[in-house]
Amino acid sequence: MTSRLVEKLRDPQYRKAFVASQINIGIPFQIRAILRNRPEWTQETLAERAGMLQPRISGLMKPGKTHPNIETLRRLAEAFDCGLLVRFAPFSELARWSEDFDPESFTVPDFEHDPGFIDRKPLGSAVELGARLFPRSEQPSLAAAQDGSNLSNLVVMDRRKQALAEQPSQLLMSCAGALR
Amino acid sequence: MSEWRTPIRCYISPAGNNKILDWYEALSTPEKTDADEFLKDMRKTSNWQMPNYRRKLSNVKGADKTKVRGLGELRWTSEKKEHRLLGFFGNGIWYAVLGCTHKQNIYSPRDALVTAAKRKEEIETGKAETVEYDL
Protein backbone atom coordinates (compact mmCIF):
# COMPACT_ATOMS: atom_id res chain seq x y z
CA MET A 1 0.00 0.00 0.00
CA THR A 2 1.40 3.43 -0.90
CA SER A 3 2.25 5.74 1.97
CA ARG A 4 0.08 8.44 0.40
CA LEU A 5 -3.01 6.23 0.51
CA VAL A 6 -2.23 5.24 4.10
CA GLU A 7 -2.02 8.91 4.97
CA LYS A 8 -5.32 9.69 3.24
CA LEU A 9 -7.12 6.78 4.93
CA ARG A 10 -6.28 8.22 8.35
CA ASP A 11 -8.98 10.81 7.61
CA PRO A 12 -12.40 9.35 8.62
CA GLN A 13 -14.17 11.33 5.89
CA TYR A 14 -11.81 9.95 3.27
CA ARG A 15 -12.33 6.40 4.58
CA LYS A 16 -16.09 6.81 4.38
CA ALA A 17 -15.96 8.05 0.80
CA PHE A 18 -13.30 5.51 -0.18
CA VAL A 19 -15.72 2.60 0.29
CA ALA A 20 -18.30 4.26 -1.97
CA SER A 21 -15.67 4.96 -4.63
CA GLN A 22 -14.73 1.28 -4.73
CA ILE A 23 -18.29 0.57 -5.82
CA ASN A 24 -19.18 3.59 -7.94
CA ILE A 25 -15.88 3.93 -9.76
CA GLY A 26 -14.40 0.45 -9.35
CA ILE A 27 -17.34 -1.67 -10.52
CA PRO A 28 -17.51 -0.10 -14.03
CA PHE A 29 -13.84 -0.98 -14.53
CA GLN A 30 -14.58 -4.56 -13.45
CA ILE A 31 -17.58 -4.90 -15.78
CA ARG A 32 -15.57 -3.51 -18.69
CA ALA A 33 -12.70 -5.92 -17.94
CA ILE A 34 -15.01 -8.95 -17.79
CA LEU A 35 -16.67 -8.00 -21.07
CA ARG A 36 -13.28 -7.52 -22.72
CA ASN A 37 -12.55 -11.16 -21.95
CA ARG A 38 -15.86 -12.27 -23.44
CA PRO A 39 -15.55 -10.77 -26.92
CA GLU A 40 -18.74 -12.45 -28.11
CA TRP A 41 -20.72 -10.51 -25.52
CA THR A 42 -22.21 -7.09 -26.23
CA GLN A 43 -23.91 -4.71 -23.84
CA GLU A 44 -27.18 -6.09 -25.22
CA THR A 45 -26.10 -9.64 -24.31
CA LEU A 46 -25.35 -8.61 -20.76
CA ALA A 47 -28.56 -6.59 -20.54
CA GLU A 48 -30.64 -9.54 -21.71
CA ARG A 49 -28.98 -11.97 -19.30
CA ALA A 50 -29.28 -9.55 -16.38
CA GLY A 51 -32.87 -8.65 -17.19
CA MET A 52 -31.99 -5.00 -17.69
CA LEU A 53 -32.16 -2.56 -20.56
CA GLN A 54 -29.01 -1.80 -22.57
CA PRO A 55 -28.89 1.89 -21.55
CA ARG A 56 -28.72 0.77 -17.92
CA ILE A 57 -25.73 -1.44 -18.69
CA SER A 58 -24.14 1.48 -20.52
CA GLY A 59 -24.63 3.61 -17.40
CA LEU A 60 -23.17 0.89 -15.17
CA MET A 61 -20.03 0.91 -17.31
CA LYS A 62 -19.47 4.66 -16.85
CA PRO A 63 -17.43 5.44 -13.71
CA GLY A 64 -19.59 7.19 -11.14
CA LYS A 65 -22.64 7.45 -13.38
CA THR A 66 -24.72 5.05 -11.31
CA HIS A 67 -24.55 3.76 -7.75
CA PRO A 68 -25.21 0.03 -8.12
CA ASN A 69 -26.83 -1.65 -5.13
CA ILE A 70 -26.32 -5.25 -4.04
CA GLU A 71 -29.34 -6.52 -5.97
CA THR A 72 -27.99 -4.98 -9.18
CA LEU A 73 -24.59 -6.54 -8.55
CA ARG A 74 -26.22 -9.90 -7.81
CA ARG A 75 -28.06 -9.78 -11.13
CA LEU A 76 -24.85 -8.94 -12.96
CA ALA A 77 -23.07 -11.83 -11.22
CA GLU A 78 -25.90 -14.13 -12.26
CA ALA A 79 -25.61 -12.87 -15.84
CA PHE A 80 -21.84 -13.46 -15.81
CA ASP A 81 -22.43 -16.88 -14.14
CA CYS A 82 -19.92 -16.02 -11.44
CA GLY A 83 -19.97 -15.39 -7.72
CA LEU A 84 -20.23 -12.11 -5.85
CA LEU A 85 -18.30 -11.51 -2.64
CA VAL A 86 -19.96 -9.04 -0.27
CA ARG A 87 -18.40 -8.96 3.15
CA PHE A 88 -16.99 -6.55 5.70
CA ALA A 89 -13.24 -6.16 5.57
CA PRO A 90 -10.47 -4.10 7.16
CA PHE A 91 -9.49 -0.99 5.24
CA SER A 92 -5.99 -2.35 4.69
CA GLU A 93 -7.47 -5.30 2.76
CA LEU A 94 -9.77 -3.10 0.70
CA ALA A 95 -6.96 -0.66 -0.08
CA ARG A 96 -4.64 -3.49 -1.09
CA TRP A 97 -7.29 -4.96 -3.37
CA SER A 98 -7.84 -1.57 -4.98
CA GLU A 99 -4.14 -1.02 -5.54
CA ASP A 100 -3.58 -4.54 -6.89
CA PHE A 101 -6.59 -4.41 -9.22
CA ASP A 102 -5.42 -4.45 -12.82
CA PRO A 103 -8.11 -3.43 -15.33
CA GLU A 104 -6.18 -5.10 -18.15
CA SER A 105 -5.70 -8.53 -16.60
CA PHE A 106 -8.74 -8.77 -14.33
CA THR A 107 -11.06 -11.52 -15.43
CA VAL A 108 -13.72 -13.71 -13.86
CA PRO A 109 -14.51 -17.01 -15.58
CA ASP A 110 -18.03 -18.36 -15.69
CA PHE A 111 -18.77 -21.66 -13.96
CA GLU A 112 -17.97 -23.72 -17.05
CA HIS A 113 -14.47 -22.25 -17.22
CA ASP A 114 -13.85 -21.95 -13.48
CA PRO A 115 -10.50 -23.71 -12.89
CA GLY A 116 -11.66 -24.67 -9.43
CA PHE A 117 -14.37 -26.85 -10.95
CA ILE A 118 -12.95 -28.08 -14.25
CA ASP A 119 -11.29 -31.07 -12.55
CA ARG A 120 -14.40 -31.90 -10.56
CA LYS A 121 -16.98 -32.17 -13.30
CA PRO A 122 -19.13 -35.30 -13.06
CA LEU A 123 -18.21 -37.94 -15.62
CA GLY A 124 -20.68 -39.58 -17.91
CA SER A 125 -19.43 -43.13 -17.63
CA ALA A 126 -17.01 -45.46 -15.91
CA VAL A 127 -14.89 -45.52 -19.06
CA GLU A 128 -14.54 -41.72 -18.98
CA LEU A 129 -13.68 -41.85 -15.29
CA GLY A 130 -10.99 -44.42 -15.96
CA ALA A 131 -9.58 -42.40 -18.84
CA ARG A 132 -9.37 -39.31 -16.68
CA LEU A 133 -7.88 -40.99 -13.66
CA PHE A 134 -5.43 -42.97 -15.75
CA PRO A 135 -4.08 -41.07 -18.74
CA ARG A 136 -2.80 -43.15 -21.64
CA SER A 137 0.75 -43.29 -20.21
CA GLU A 138 -0.50 -44.79 -16.97
CA GLN A 139 -2.98 -47.26 -18.38
CA PRO A 140 -0.97 -50.39 -17.51
CA SER A 141 -2.11 -49.93 -13.93
CA LEU A 142 -5.70 -49.85 -15.17
CA ALA A 143 -5.02 -53.02 -17.14
CA ALA A 144 -3.62 -54.59 -13.99
CA ALA A 145 -6.77 -53.66 -12.18
CA GLN A 146 -8.86 -55.28 -14.89
CA ASP A 147 -6.87 -58.48 -14.32
CA GLY A 148 -8.60 -59.06 -11.06
CA SER A 149 -7.59 -56.34 -8.64
CA ASN A 150 -10.45 -54.89 -6.74
CA LEU A 151 -11.11 -51.20 -6.52
CA SER A 152 -9.47 -50.75 -3.12
CA ASN A 153 -6.23 -52.21 -4.45
CA LEU A 154 -6.44 -49.93 -7.41
CA VAL A 155 -6.79 -46.91 -5.15
CA VAL A 156 -3.75 -47.89 -3.11
CA MET A 157 -1.72 -48.63 -6.21
CA ASP A 158 -2.26 -45.36 -7.90
CA ARG A 159 -0.74 -41.98 -7.18
CA ARG A 160 -4.11 -40.44 -7.96
CA LYS A 161 -5.65 -41.81 -4.83
CA GLN A 162 -6.74 -38.38 -3.71
CA ALA A 163 -8.40 -37.49 -7.02
CA LEU A 164 -10.23 -40.80 -7.03
CA ALA A 165 -11.39 -40.34 -3.48
CA GLU A 166 -13.00 -37.03 -4.47
CA GLN A 167 -15.22 -38.53 -7.16
CA PRO A 168 -18.90 -39.06 -6.39
CA SER A 169 -19.44 -42.40 -4.73
CA GLN A 170 -21.97 -43.61 -7.29
CA LEU A 171 -19.42 -43.13 -10.05
CA LEU A 172 -16.92 -45.17 -8.08
CA MET A 173 -19.47 -47.92 -7.75
CA SER A 174 -20.12 -47.72 -11.46
CA CYS A 175 -16.39 -47.90 -12.16
CA ALA A 176 -15.95 -50.83 -9.83
CA GLY A 177 -18.80 -52.64 -11.56
CA ALA A 178 -17.24 -52.09 -14.95
CA LEU A 179 -13.89 -53.40 -13.78
CA ARG A 180 -15.26 -56.63 -12.31
CA MET B 1 1.73 -1.45 -9.93
CA SER B 2 5.17 0.04 -9.73
CA GLU B 3 5.06 1.41 -13.27
CA TRP B 4 1.99 2.95 -14.82
CA ARG B 5 0.91 1.90 -18.29
CA THR B 6 -0.07 5.51 -18.95
CA PRO B 7 1.82 7.91 -16.70
CA ILE B 8 0.21 11.28 -15.97
CA ARG B 9 2.09 14.52 -15.48
CA CYS B 10 0.67 17.79 -14.18
CA TYR B 11 0.98 21.29 -15.59
CA ILE B 12 3.01 23.74 -13.50
CA SER B 13 2.36 27.36 -14.37
CA PRO B 14 5.28 29.69 -15.22
CA ALA B 15 4.73 31.16 -11.74
CA GLY B 16 5.36 27.70 -10.26
CA ASN B 17 1.83 26.64 -9.26
CA ASN B 18 0.70 23.05 -9.75
CA LYS B 19 -2.69 23.79 -11.30
CA ILE B 20 -3.82 20.16 -11.09
CA LEU B 21 -3.04 20.10 -7.37
CA ASP B 22 -5.05 23.33 -7.01
CA TRP B 23 -7.99 21.70 -8.81
CA TYR B 24 -7.72 18.54 -6.68
CA GLU B 25 -7.55 20.46 -3.40
CA ALA B 26 -10.77 22.31 -4.30
CA LEU B 27 -12.73 19.03 -4.62
CA SER B 28 -14.93 17.69 -1.82
CA THR B 29 -13.73 14.52 -0.06
CA PRO B 30 -16.08 12.16 -2.00
CA GLU B 31 -14.97 13.83 -5.23
CA LYS B 32 -11.35 13.30 -4.21
CA THR B 33 -11.78 9.58 -3.53
CA ASP B 34 -13.63 9.16 -6.84
CA ALA B 35 -10.89 11.06 -8.70
CA ASP B 36 -8.20 8.98 -6.95
CA GLU B 37 -9.88 5.70 -7.86
CA PHE B 38 -10.63 6.74 -11.43
CA LEU B 39 -7.16 8.14 -12.18
CA LYS B 40 -5.47 5.14 -10.55
CA ASP B 41 -7.33 2.73 -12.84
CA MET B 42 -6.78 4.91 -15.91
CA ARG B 43 -3.04 5.01 -15.26
CA LYS B 44 -3.13 1.19 -15.21
CA THR B 45 -4.84 1.20 -18.62
CA SER B 46 -2.80 1.44 -21.81
CA ASN B 47 -5.51 2.16 -24.36
CA TRP B 48 -7.76 5.00 -23.25
CA GLN B 49 -11.16 4.90 -24.88
CA MET B 50 -14.67 6.27 -24.57
CA PRO B 51 -16.54 6.66 -22.33
CA ASN B 52 -13.59 7.22 -19.97
CA TYR B 53 -11.52 9.24 -22.40
CA ARG B 54 -12.61 11.47 -25.25
CA ARG B 55 -9.73 11.74 -27.67
CA LYS B 56 -10.91 14.72 -29.71
CA LEU B 57 -12.48 17.90 -28.49
CA SER B 58 -12.63 19.55 -31.91
CA ASN B 59 -16.31 18.69 -32.27
CA VAL B 60 -17.25 20.24 -28.92
CA LYS B 61 -19.83 22.96 -29.42
CA GLY B 62 -18.15 26.36 -29.58
CA ALA B 63 -14.61 25.00 -29.58
CA ASP B 64 -11.95 26.59 -31.78
CA LYS B 65 -10.95 23.53 -33.79
CA THR B 66 -7.41 24.67 -34.46
CA LYS B 67 -6.71 25.55 -30.83
CA VAL B 68 -8.08 22.38 -29.23
CA ARG B 69 -6.34 20.04 -31.68
CA GLY B 70 -4.56 17.31 -29.73
CA LEU B 71 -6.50 17.95 -26.54
CA GLY B 72 -8.58 15.20 -24.96
CA GLU B 73 -10.51 14.75 -21.74
CA LEU B 74 -10.83 12.18 -19.00
CA ARG B 75 -14.49 11.80 -18.02
CA TRP B 76 -16.16 10.53 -14.88
CA THR B 77 -19.11 11.38 -12.67
CA SER B 78 -18.87 12.24 -9.00
CA GLU B 79 -21.42 13.75 -6.66
CA LYS B 80 -23.83 14.06 -9.61
CA LYS B 81 -21.37 16.26 -11.49
CA GLU B 82 -19.63 15.45 -14.75
CA HIS B 83 -15.93 15.86 -14.06
CA ARG B 84 -13.35 16.48 -16.73
CA LEU B 85 -9.58 16.52 -16.73
CA LEU B 86 -8.27 18.08 -19.93
CA GLY B 87 -4.88 17.17 -21.34
CA PHE B 88 -2.91 15.69 -24.19
CA PHE B 89 -0.60 12.80 -25.07
CA GLY B 90 3.10 13.14 -25.75
CA ASN B 91 5.57 10.22 -25.94
CA GLY B 92 3.23 7.84 -24.11
CA ILE B 93 2.70 10.30 -21.25
CA TRP B 94 -0.56 12.09 -20.66
CA TYR B 95 -0.18 15.71 -19.61
CA ALA B 96 -3.04 17.00 -17.44
CA VAL B 97 -3.48 20.72 -17.91
CA LEU B 98 -6.87 21.61 -16.42
CA GLY B 99 -9.59 20.12 -14.22
CA CYS B 100 -13.18 21.27 -14.64
CA THR B 101 -16.81 20.18 -14.70
CA HIS B 102 -19.18 19.88 -17.63
CA LYS B 103 -22.93 20.36 -17.81
CA GLN B 104 -25.14 20.49 -20.90
CA ASN B 105 -22.20 21.11 -23.25
CA ILE B 106 -20.85 23.93 -21.11
CA TYR B 107 -17.57 23.69 -19.26
CA SER B 108 -17.05 25.28 -15.88
CA PRO B 109 -15.00 27.42 -15.94
CA ARG B 110 -16.37 28.56 -19.29
CA ASP B 111 -12.94 29.32 -20.72
CA ALA B 112 -11.66 25.80 -19.88
CA LEU B 113 -10.87 24.85 -23.48
CA VAL B 114 -9.07 28.11 -24.25
CA THR B 115 -7.01 27.88 -21.05
CA ALA B 116 -6.23 24.22 -21.66
CA ALA B 117 -5.04 24.97 -25.20
CA LYS B 118 -2.82 27.77 -23.89
CA ARG B 119 -1.30 25.51 -21.22
CA LYS B 120 -0.71 22.76 -23.77
CA GLU B 121 1.23 25.20 -25.92
CA GLU B 122 3.25 26.38 -22.90
CA ILE B 123 4.31 22.81 -22.15
CA GLU B 124 5.12 22.07 -25.79
CA THR B 125 7.23 25.21 -26.14
CA GLY B 126 9.04 24.67 -22.84
CA LYS B 127 7.50 27.73 -21.16
CA ALA B 128 5.84 25.60 -18.50
CA GLU B 129 7.14 22.66 -16.47
CA THR B 130 5.34 19.45 -15.54
CA VAL B 131 5.53 17.18 -12.53
CA GLU B 132 4.47 13.56 -12.07
CA TYR B 133 0.86 13.15 -10.95
CA ASP B 134 1.19 11.94 -7.38
CA LEU B 135 -1.87 13.23 -5.54
Side-chain angles (χ1 to χ4, degrees):
Chain A
M1 206 185 317
T2 63
S3 55
R4 187 166 298 273
L5 182 55
V6 171
E7 188 185 319
K8 286 178 176 180
L9 285 169
R10 293 195 191 286
D11 174 0
Q13 292 304 312
Y14 191 93
R15 287 202 297 273
K16 185 176 154 189
F18 181 76
V19 176
S21 294
Q22 295 308 305
I23 301 167
N24 303 336
I25 303 292
I27 291 292
F29 279 93
Q30 287 190 44
I31 296 173
R32 192 164 289 277
I34 294 172
L35 284 181
R36 192 180 301 117
N37 284 289
R38 299 184 189 192
E40 71 281 10
W41 284 45
T42 61
Q43 287 187 17
E44 286 80 5
T45 311
L46 178 56
E48 193 177 317
R49 289 178 182 234
M52 300 176 188
L53 297 174
Q54 181 273 328
R56 182 146 184 232
I57 297 297
S58 173
L60 285 163
M61 292 173 70
K62 291 177 182 167
K65 192 75 176 176
T66 60
H67 295 184
N69 59 24
I70 290 180
E71 174 58 15
T72 300
L73 298 177
R74 189 200 60 75
R75 285 164 68 181
L76 289 173
E78 189 177 303
F80 286 133
D81 195 15
C82 68
L84 174 68
L85 281 173
V86 181
R87 64 179 177 86
F88 299 104
F91 274 102
S92 58
E93 188 181 331
L94 184 60
R96 198 174 307 113
W97 194 92
S98 169
E99 289 202 332
D100 290 347
F101 172 75
D102 183 349
E104 297 205 351
S105 66
F106 179 79
T107 184
V108 180
D110 60 14
F111 186 85
E112 278 298 304
H113 300 92
D114 186 336
F117 284 100
I118 283 177
D119 291 333
R120 291 166 185 256
K121 279 182 188 170
L123 294 169
S125 69
V127 173
E128 284 177 13
L129 174 61
R132 197 157 107 199
L133 291 173
F134 309 105
R136 195 169 289 277
S137 61
E138 298 179 29
Q139 279 185 3
S141 62
L142 179 60
Q146 286 171 326
D147 285 341
S149 306
N150 63 28
L151 185 61
S152 60
N153 288 340
L154 179 65
V155 171
V156 173
M157 280 165 52
D158 199 85
R159 295 191 307 273
R160 292 172 178 261
K161 176 184 172 187
Q162 185 61 39
L164 185 59
E166 290 175 2
Q167 298 303 316
S169 58
Q170 68 271 24
L171 283 175
L172 287 177
M173 294 302 289
S174 160
C175 180
L179 294 175
R180 276 192 199 111
Chain B
M1 287 177 67
S2 55
E3 287 186 15
W4 303 110
R5 291 194 178 98
T6 306
I8 297 178
R9 293 187 70 82
C10 304
Y11 166 85
I12 306 290
S13 73
N17 297 321
N18 183 336
K19 292 294 186 180
I20 303 305
L21 177 61
D22 291 348
W23 158 79
Y24 180 83
E25 290 299 336
L27 298 174
S28 68
T29 302
E31 288 172 329
K32 280 180 183 165
T33 60
D34 282 350
D36 287 346
E37 187 67 17
F38 178 75
L39 293 173
K40 171 180 64 64
D41 285 345
M42 289 308 291
R43 283 186 287 172
K44 292 176 182 175
T45 306
S46 49
N47 186 18
W48 288 8
Q49 292 178 335
M50 283 287 276
N52 299 349
Y53 186 66
R54 187 181 200 177
R55 199 162 276 277
K56 286 182 180 175
L57 299 181
S58 51
N59 52 354
V60 170
K61 194 178 175 183
D64 182 330
K65 288 184 181 178
T66 55
K67 285 187 176 174
V68 301
R69 186 170 293 145
L71 276 175
E73 63 180 18
L74 283 167
R75 305 145 53 93
W76 71 99
T77 308
S78 181
E79 297 292 287
K80 298 181 181 175
K81 282 187 272 183
E82 296 293 326
H83 289 261
R84 302 284 188 265
L85 194 54
L86 307 183
F88 63 98
F89 275 104
N91 295 323
I93 296 167
W94 194 72
Y95 295 90
V97 295
L98 186 141
C100 58
T101 56
H102 188 254
K103 189 178 182 183
Q104 293 173 335
N105 285 326
I106 296 171
Y107 287 90
S108 177
R110 278 183 174 266
D111 62 351
L113 289 181
V114 175
T115 306
K118 180 172 159 279
R119 290 177 180 176
K120 174 176 177 281
E121 189 182 345
E122 286 176 359
I123 292 172
E124 289 173 333
T125 56
K127 289 177 185 167
E129 299 283 317
T130 61
V131 65
E132 185 184 355
Y133 181 92
D134 188 26
L135 305 179

